[in-house]
Amino acid sequence: MREALNLERRKALKAGAGFGLLSALLSVGLISPQQARAAVNKGAFDAKTLDETYKALGVSAPAVSDQVVINASDIAENGAVVPIGIKSNLPNTQMVALLVERNPNPLSASYNLTEAAVPEVTMRVKMGQTSNVIALVKADGKFYTATKEIKITLGGCGG
Amino acid sequence: MGSPMKIRASLSGETADVKVLMRHDMETGQRKDASGAVIPAWYIQEVTVALNGKAVVTAEWGAAVSKDPYLALKVKGAKSGDAVSVTWVDNKGDTRTDETKIA
Amino acid sequence: MRHLLALLAGCVLASAAMAARAQDKSGDEVAKYREMLADGNPADLVELRGEELWKAKRGPKNASLEQCDLGLGPGVVDGAYAQLPKYFPDSKKVMDLEARLVYCMTTLQGFTEAEVTKAWFTKPGKEADMEALVTFVGARSNGKPINVANRHPQEAAMAKMGEYIFYRRAGPQDFSCAICHANDNKRIRLQELGNLTTKEGAGTAMKSFPAYRVSQGNVWSMQRRLIDCMRQARWPEPKYLSDAVIALEVYLQGKANGTVMQTPGIKR
């Protein structure tokens, strides 16, 4: 049993080469190979438009859902630090991701959630300009979104 | 190795409120220094939050996450004395793990 | 007044239409933004770094700052910031926290003054040690009321000088601090400028410094805040730790007396 597990881990370790953290975690048994494989395709972070990002993530026509909630102020004083919270009220939420439509690469962050996680995360991101932000949620294998516009006010006038 | 994180974990019922501040410049690779040279991208790519050694959330970040990243999330089935650990790895392979006990 | 408007016109006009229409709603949203930032203030990391620096053996004398006397006796950090600036018999000067830290870094650790004041504020890629130390010491006064008694003659003289500077008009634009900071409900863009001549206004400012400045992405000490305001007033920029700056601090801390400290604050 022990042997088999170790073998599994070593295989995953090889497969995960280049994924520093994931392989490290695999090797100490922090996460299972299953979770490692569920990791988001790196290409999604390089995508330059929403459509490209969705494609890279394997998302097609996500449904708008009022069960996905974005918690953020309408105005951010400094685009370098924009606090944004995402909450999903959908059963069996497996992943939440944040996309900023007008950033050079819309995908900012994605979170794989185990059953022990409440589907609610808050983070801070950079926004180059006023833009829609999109919360993308995967629940029970299906994708849902919510959108909110955030205005960036910081101009060149110091103080 | 990176500088220490600040992790706060407080309990409400059986849910732990976890708030983390990490020390990292999160360079996008799009900024230039005073001499006009591009400052290379340097940012955290992977974050894992674990309860008593078991991963609860694994995150992947792009360079758009702000400098000195903040992350707040909630973990179910937690109790006082449990260990919450956070690990990050950046695109240069630097990594750091910090841990706190739930108050 | 006319000068002020002329100077700020470029900035104000851009947002004036929006501001007039939706000032209160905007104010709420800005408040929500700052609230979200305050929970996990990025400056908390600076405070941690400051504590490490305070305890680290450094300098030619390989000593820590733990025996530094911030006014309440060697090594007492709790409550020290709330009672500064104050007169120190050893240096025979009224010193604020930063001046005192420089004194301790030279006397205890053996650094030269030039060494420790050269990079006193953060520049891209180089975080200032001074900022971190100030953030650490400031936070150790949280929950304590500002208590600057100005009993020593030199303290009283500095308070007077601070008041004089505050109201004095000078520079190419004939500005004073009072022009921007002695009215209720004055705003620049969406920025509320507190009335620093009242306990409430001065208290709001003084209790929250050192503060994380959202627009700058780092911590500002009161020295930095005041030196930058002098720049805004188009005055010649004073030297770091100069008596003019410390005098203004003595004056403003005195106005804020009794206000409970809560740092690091969050500012635009």
Side-chain angles (χ1 to χ4, degrees):
Chain A
M1 184 60 209
R2 217 190 150 73
E3 259 319 295
L5 253 175
N6 279 336
L7 198 71
E8 256 317 293
R9 275 185 204 154
R10 242 173 283 134
K11 265 196 263 169
L13 231 150
K14 264 196 195 142
F19 274 83
L21 171 64
L22 292 176
S23 49
L25 290 169
L26 282 161
S27 65
V28 297
L30 270 179
I31 56 172
S32 69
Q34 224 61 44
Q35 283 169 308
R37 267 186 234 113
V40 172
N41 170 11
K42 288 280 179 230
F45 281 96
D46 296 329
K48 293 195 163 42
T49 64
L50 278 187
D51 284 348
E52 273 181 42
T53 313
Y54 285 155
K55 214 164 141 196
L57 290 170
V59 179
S60 64
V64 174
S65 168
D66 61 5
Q67 296 304 300
V68 177
V69 182
I70 297 177
N71 179 27
S73 57
D74 296 357
I75 297 177
E77 285 184 285
N78 183 352
V81 203
V82 185
I84 299 174
I86 302 175
K87 186 177 176 190
S88 165
N89 296 318
L90 296 159
N92 197 13
T93 294
Q94 299 150 293
M95 186 216 61
V96 301
L98 178 72
L99 290 77
V100 179
E101 187 169 3
R102 296 174 77 179
N103 270 3
N105 304 112
L107 184 58
S108 305
S110 79
Y111 299 82
N112 285 308
L113 310 175
T114 64
E115 268 154 28
V118 178
E120 183 178 345
V121 295
T122 303
M123 70 207 95
R124 295 168 184 170
V125 295
K126 299 167 205 154
M127 290 177 59
Q129 54 189 312
T130 295
S131 170
N132 278 338
V133 299
I134 295 117
L136 176 70
V137 167
K138 186 181 183 188
D140 235 4
K142 291 200 192 70
F143 287 96
Y144 304 88
T145 63
T147 301
K148 176 185 173 84
E149 184 184 61
I150 299 179
K151 288 194 179 67
I152 308 296
T153 62
L154 185 75
C157 303
Chain B
M1 271 286 74
S3 311
M5 298 176 222
K6 185 169 174 179
I7 307 174
R8 289 176 290 162
S10 61
L11 212 54
S12 58
E14 290 186 352
T15 302
D17 244 310
V18 179
K19 294 172 181 174
V20 193
L21 268 171
M22 308 168 206
R23 175 67 205 89
H24 204 287
D25 280 349
M26 302 297 286
E27 278 296 344
T28 57
Q30 288 164 6
R31 290 197 322 138
K32 291 187 176 148
D33 66 16
S35 67
V38 171
I39 305 171
W42 187 10
Y43 59 95
I44 294 173
Q45 277 185 317
E46 299 157 7
V47 181
T48 301
V49 178
L51 180 70
N52 297 327
K54 198 164 175 288
V56 175
V57 173
T58 51
E60 288 191 73
W61 285 356
V65 171
S66 301
K67 173 179 184 269
D68 293 345
Y70 170 84
L71 175 63
L73 42 82
K74 295 187 163 101
V75 179
K76 289 186 248 182
K79 57 186 187 310
S80 176
D82 281 357
V84 174
S85 67
V86 181
T87 299
W88 59 249
V89 180
D90 68 24
N91 64 326
K92 292 187 182 173
D94 244 2
T95 180
R96 167 140 201 132
T97 300
D98 288 278
E99 187 179 280
T100 193
K101 295 263 190 283
I102 297 173
Chain C
M1 194 60 218
R2 208 182 24 152
H3 294 299
L4 174 62
L5 289 178
L7 175 67
L8 297 168
C11 290
V12 174
L13 283 181
S15 56
M18 181 187 85
R21 203 177 331 120
Q23 188 129 78
D24 287 339
K25 171 90 163 59
S26 301
D28 288 351
E29 290 298 325
V30 167
K32 175 171 180 185
Y33 173 79
R34 286 190 198 161
E35 228 166 80
M36 286 183 84
L37 274 187
D39 187 27
N41 187 336
D44 292 353
L45 290 171
V46 181
E47 182 189 329
L48 281 183
R49 203 168 72 79
E51 181 166 10
E52 284 173 6
L53 276 169
W54 179 262
K55 293 177 177 162
K57 291 197 166 71
R58 301 193 311 145
K61 295 189 181 170
N62 194 34
S64 79
L65 288 169
E66 286 164 308
Q67 285 309 304
C68 179
D69 181 356
L70 297 172
L72 300 176
V76 182
V77 184
D78 287 339
Y81 189 100
Q83 301 200 22
L84 290 170
K86 114 197 267 178
Y87 176 80
F88 285 86
D90 52 11
S91 65
K92 300 195 173 51
K93 283 177 86 166
V94 176
M95 300 172 119
D96 69 352
L97 175 61
E98 280 158 276
R100 194 60 191 171
L101 285 169
V102 169
Y103 179 85
C104 287
M105 288 159 117
T106 51
T107 54
L108 295 178
Q109 297 184 309
F111 288 114
T112 67
E113 191 172 325
E115 278 169 337
V116 290
T117 56
K118 192 176 55 199
W120 64 277
F121 65 87
T122 290
K123 300 203 173 94
K126 175 75 187 89
E127 283 175 39
D129 290 348
M130 188 55 81
E131 251 164 39
L133 285 164
V134 169
T135 309
F136 161 64
V137 176
R140 294 279 289 265
S141 276
N142 285 349
K144 303 248 163 53
I146 293 172
N147 178 13
V148 178
N150 297 338
R151 266 192 221 104
H152 191 276
Q154 283 213 37
E155 292 168 359
M158 285 292 257
K160 246 194 148 138
M161 177 157 112
E163 180 169 22
Y164 174 76
I165 296 172
F166 190 86
Y167 286 101
R168 195 191 123 125
R169 300 180 64 140
Q173 309 271 357
D174 208 21
F175 265 148
S176 69
C177 310
I179 284 184
C180 287
H181 288 300
N183 302 287
D184 295 323
N185 303 319
K186 182 162 198 133
R187 288 175 197 248
I188 294 182
R189 301 175 294 275
L190 293 179
Q191 209 49 42
E192 275 177 61
L193 293 182
N195 183 348
L196 295 177
T197 64
T198 64
K199 179 179 170 184
E200 201 203 338
T204 304
M206 303 312 278
K207 75 170 184 195
S208 54
F209 273 84
Y212 178 80
R213 288 208 61 200
V214 175
S215 57
Q216 313 290 315
N218 55 39
V219 171
W220 277 34
S221 66
M222 191 40 78
Q223 281 271 344
R224 182 149 187 211
R225 176 66 270 175
L226 294 179
I227 290 174
D228 192 72
C229 267
M230 292 182 176
R231 183 192 58 77
Q232 286 196 62
R234 303 296 186 270
W235 291 359
E237 241 177 73
K239 264 183 59 192
Y240 180 50
L241 309 180
S242 64
D243 277 351
V245 179
I246 294 173
L248 279 166
E249 287 177 311
V250 175
Y251 168 64
L252 293 171
Q253 282 283 74
K255 285 274 171 208
N257 244 353
T259 313
V260 174
M261 292 277 301
Q262 196 185 355
T263 68
I266 292 254
K267 300 281 173 180
R268 187 187 73 89

